[in-house]
Amino acid sequence: MHILQYLNLSYNSLDGKIPATLGHCSKLQYISIRSNNLVGQIPDTLGRLPNLKVLSLATNNLIGDVPRSLGNLSSLNILNLAKNSLTGLLPPSLGNLSSLFFFDLSSNNLNGSIPEDISRITGLQFFSVSINGFSGLIPSSYFNLSSLQHFAVSVNQLTGTLPQDIGLTLPNLEDLLVDVNQFHGPIPISLSNASRLQVVDLDTNKFSGRVPLNLGSLQNLRNLNLGSNKLRAREAEDWGFITSLTNCSNLVVLGLNNNNFTGVLPSSIANLSSELQWLVMGGNQISGGIPAGIENLVNLVVLGMDQNHFTGAIPGAIGKLQWLNALDLSENKFSGQIPPSLGNLSQLNELQLGKNEFWGSIPSSLRNCQNLEALGLSNNNFSGTIPIEVFSITSLSRYLDLSHNSLIGTLPMQIGSLTNLGILDVSENRLSGEIPNELGDCQVLEYLYLEGNFFQGSIPPSFGKLKGIRELDLSRNKFSGQFPNFLENLHSAQYLNLSFNNFNGEVPQGAEYKAAEESGRCEGMKTRMEACLVSVIRIGLSCSVESPKERIDMNCVVRELEAVRDMLLVV
């Protein structure tokens, strides 16, 4: 083993510790044991390998500090310790690795400041310490490493500003990843001088001011993510960066969400690269309509325009975006009818149109969206019956939300086809009739909201099959008949509201009620109390449980609890 020069044990299922005796193999030039299940600390003895050029221990379960002795590896070219559980500070001795060009310690639990010493490695090309706990300022000397191609410090607690001359001092930079930190100040105009830039990710910081108007000179730019900052655009001139970006023919991702962008979206956005796949601008105050020609972005996969002030109708041409996977236009002021052409989006996985001013009927053409997992049409002015075709979208699994509209008619028996659905919300409409027994076939349901309608009749016994139900709201309808005793067997239920109906019969004698009765807390409530009182008790016990619906009517709760109090006083 003393003559061993090359050791590659990567991509196995090895466990245990790295043997310290490896440090005795003085001729070793290459060690790669990445992607295993190794535990323990990195042996100090690895710093005794004068000929070592590659040390890759990434994607294991290593713990402890980065050994100071690794700074003795004067021949080392590649150091990859990413995706472990290393802790502590980065040793300044790593600045002695004068031959190093690849440095990756991302996805660990390192903390403290980034040592200035490492910036002495003048040939460094790849530097990543993303997803750690580093804080403080990045030493300015890092921005003088002219050989740097990849600079990644994402997901830390770093502060400060980016140097205004960064594009001049880092002319070879291809990837600039500083997202999810606390950087502030303007985006340097000089970035346009780093002509090799492909990825610029500034997401989730505190950058402010205008977006530079010269970013279009970055001919290789593929990913520009400026989301979740304090950037602004008010006048048409401020939006000039969009027109500039039309020169970036390789642009794939453009993130503008959660900033302070206002005014009208420029029509030039339809002239962005036909390679664009991801365009998100939600969480701003942008107004106007969807620009004509949006269908030119033929490769769009995600289009997010939610939480703005957009108006007007959805252009029918949007149905030409055949690769669209997610379309989110929610929380705007869009109006008109949903164009039937949305049914052409056969790859659509998520359609969010809630909280707008749409009216008319829900188009039956949506049945063609057989990859749809989430459909949100709530808080609009939709009328008419729910098309049976909607219930033929058997791919629906995350949620179907048609709440807060003016829908009429019944729930058809075809609803039983949605066997993978997790959330169904048709509350606050004008639906009527009896609940189809087939609803019990939706056995994956966890949240079912039918309140605020005109449903009548008894609750079908098939509800007893909804074993995973967490929240069930049937309140403010016209249900009647005996209290559904099988509901006491829904052991996952955290929120149950049957109030303001016409149920009668005995209170369930399940274990939770028997225990309460034995303690005297439910004395006098054993028989012939209206079922709505039972629901109030459950509400009172579950108000501390956060509901994904997040709209419990607390005034209603108070009124009902007062009614229970009065009833108990009589008893």
Side-chain angles (χ1 to χ4, degrees):
M1 294 293 287
H2 289 290
I3 62 173
L4 186 66
Q5 298 182 33
Y6 182 96
L7 177 63
N8 191 347
L9 304 176
S10 299
Y11 300 99
N12 283 288
S13 299
L14 303 176
D15 51 25
K17 298 181 178 181
I18 299 173
T21 52
L22 272 182
H24 300 151
C25 303
S26 59
K27 296 186 180 296
L28 264 174
Q29 298 182 31
Y30 185 102
I31 298 177
S32 181
I33 322 179
R34 64 176 302 161
S35 298
N36 281 284
N37 300 310
L38 299 176
V39 297
Q41 299 185 345
I42 299 173
D44 284 335
T45 55
L46 294 185
R48 302 175 184 173
L49 301 173
N51 298 304
L52 194 64
K53 297 182 181 298
V54 175
L55 177 59
S56 180
L57 307 177
T59 318
N60 281 287
N61 300 306
L62 301 173
I63 61 172
D65 297 338
V66 176
R68 291 193 301 270
S69 62
L70 296 185
N72 299 326
L73 302 174
S74 57
S75 299
L76 198 65
N77 299 142
I78 296 176
L79 177 61
N80 190 354
L81 308 180
K83 297 182 180 179
N84 280 287
S85 298
L86 301 173
T87 55
L89 307 177
L90 274 182
S93 61
L94 295 181
N96 298 326
L97 302 176
S98 56
S99 300
L100 201 70
F101 62 79
F102 186 98
F103 182 96
D104 192 353
L105 272 80
S106 60
S107 299
N108 279 286
N109 298 313
L110 301 167
N111 55 50
S113 60
I114 298 176
E116 183 176 5
D117 305 75
I118 296 175
S119 64
R120 299 201 311 262
I121 307 173
T122 56
L124 203 58
Q125 299 176 20
F126 186 105
F127 178 82
S128 178
V129 292
S130 295
I131 315 179
N132 278 287
F134 292 111
S135 58
L137 301 174
I138 299 175
S140 59
S141 50
Y142 279 85
F143 299 107
N144 293 320
L145 293 172
S146 59
S147 58
L148 265 183
Q149 299 175 14
H150 180 96
F151 184 75
V153 295
S154 307
V155 194
N156 283 285
Q157 292 96 48
L158 298 166
T159 59
T161 61
L162 294 181
Q164 288 305 299
D165 60 352
I166 185 174
L168 300 172
T169 58
L170 300 180
N172 295 301
L173 197 62
E174 297 178 4
D175 305 314
L176 176 62
L177 307 173
V178 300
D179 51 299
V180 194
N181 280 285
Q182 299 174 32
F183 293 110
H184 61 274
I187 298 174
I189 297 176
S190 68
L191 276 181
S192 61
N193 295 102
S195 58
R196 299 184 181 183
L197 268 175
Q198 298 181 32
V199 178
V200 177
D201 196 342
L202 311 183
D203 184 76
T204 314
N205 281 284
K206 299 177 182 178
F207 290 110
S208 58
R210 298 199 311 177
V211 179
L213 303 180
N214 58 0
L215 295 179
S217 62
L218 298 174
Q219 297 293 307
N220 297 306
L221 191 63
R222 293 185 298 107
N223 185 333
L224 178 60
N225 192 353
L226 307 178
S228 299
N229 280 285
K230 298 181 179 181
L231 300 168
R232 62 173 174 83
R234 298 173 183 170
E235 308 299 330
E237 180 184 357
D238 299 336
W239 283 102
F241 72 93
I242 293 290
T243 303
S244 174
L245 289 173
T246 61
N247 296 316
C248 301
S249 58
N250 296 307
L251 193 64
V252 174
V253 173
L254 178 58
L256 305 175
N257 54 297
N258 299 315
N259 278 284
N260 296 320
F261 295 126
T262 61
V264 177
L265 197 64
S267 59
S268 59
I269 200 164
N271 298 324
L272 289 172
S273 168
S274 60
E275 300 298 315
L276 194 67
Q277 297 180 20
W278 187 289
L279 176 58
V280 291
M281 60 189 80
N284 286 286
Q285 300 176 52
I286 308 172
S287 56
I290 297 176
I294 195 72
E295 68 274 13
N296 296 337
L297 306 178
V298 293
N299 284 301
L300 267 188
V301 175
V302 175
L303 176 58
M305 304 176 71
D306 53 297
Q307 301 178 64
N308 279 286
H309 300 317
F310 287 112
T311 56
I314 299 177
I318 209 167
K320 297 179 180 180
L321 300 176
Q322 60 177 336
W323 300 112
L324 206 59
N325 183 270
L327 175 61
D328 192 348
L329 306 180
S330 63
E331 299 189 48
N332 280 285
K333 298 179 181 179
F334 288 114
S335 59
Q337 296 182 298
I338 297 179
S341 62
L342 289 190
N344 298 332
L345 303 177
S346 59
Q347 301 300 315
L348 204 60
N349 180 269
E350 178 178 352
L351 176 60
Q352 294 276 15
L353 303 179
K355 296 186 178 180
N356 279 286
E357 298 173 8
F358 294 115
W359 52 271
S361 59
I362 298 173
S364 58
S365 61
L366 290 179
R367 68 178 178 273
N368 298 321
C369 301
Q370 287 296 318
N371 288 301
L372 202 60
E373 296 181 3
L375 175 58
L377 304 178
S378 66
N379 295 88
N380 281 286
N381 299 309
F382 293 116
S383 58
T385 59
I386 304 174
I388 292 177
E389 291 83 357
V390 169
F391 300 107
S392 70
I393 309 175
T394 55
S395 56
L396 283 170
S397 56
R398 291 166 53 195
Y399 56 83
L400 171 60
D401 189 355
L402 307 178
S403 65
H404 290 266
N405 282 288
S406 299
L407 299 169
I408 60 173
T410 62
L411 278 183
M413 59 185 294
Q414 287 83 356
I415 196 171
S417 301
L418 304 181
T419 55
N420 297 310
L421 191 62
I423 301 175
L424 173 63
D425 191 347
V426 296
S427 64
E428 309 300 340
N429 279 285
R430 299 176 183 175
L431 300 171
S432 58
E434 297 189 357
I435 301 299
N437 197 57
E438 288 78 7
L439 185 54
D441 295 334
C442 303
Q443 296 184 28
V444 181
L445 268 179
E446 294 186 359
Y447 303 93
L448 176 58
Y449 306 108
L450 306 180
E451 75 269 18
N453 282 287
F454 299 100
F455 291 119
Q456 61 190 38
S458 59
I459 300 177
S462 63
F463 270 37
K465 296 189 294 185
L466 303 177
K467 301 297 186 182
I469 204 76
R470 294 175 178 268
E471 299 195 7
L472 175 61
D473 197 335
L474 308 180
S475 66
R476 292 180 290 113
N477 278 286
K478 296 182 178 182
F479 291 114
S480 59
Q482 294 289 313
F483 187 90
N485 289 326
F486 56 81
L487 293 180
E488 66 183 278
N489 297 319
L490 302 181
H491 302 299
S492 298
Q494 299 173 342
Y495 174 89
L496 173 62
N497 192 349
L498 308 182
S499 63
F500 294 99
N501 281 288
N502 297 308
F503 293 115
N504 57 65
E506 294 187 353
V507 176
Q509 296 299 302
E512 60 184 295
Y513 297 107
K514 289 181 180 179
E517 183 182 330
E518 291 171 1
S519 67
R521 287 184 285 116
C522 289
E523 184 176 357
M525 295 180 60
K526 289 168 42 177
T527 58
R528 306 204 58 79
M529 183 179 291
E530 290 188 11
C532 67
L533 300 182
V534 177
S535 72
V536 173
I537 291 175
R538 287 192 176 182
I539 292 173
L541 293 175
S542 66
C543 281
S544 61
V545 180
E546 183 178 353
S547 167
K549 193 160 182 160
E550 293 182 348
R551 53 181 177 84
I552 297 175
D553 187 344
M554 294 307 298
N555 290 325
C556 177
V557 172
V558 171
R559 288 196 301 270
E560 295 186 11
L561 287 175
E562 289 174 347
V564 172
R565 179 198 62 193
D566 295 341
M567 177 67 76
L568 290 177
L569 289 176
V570 173
V571 174

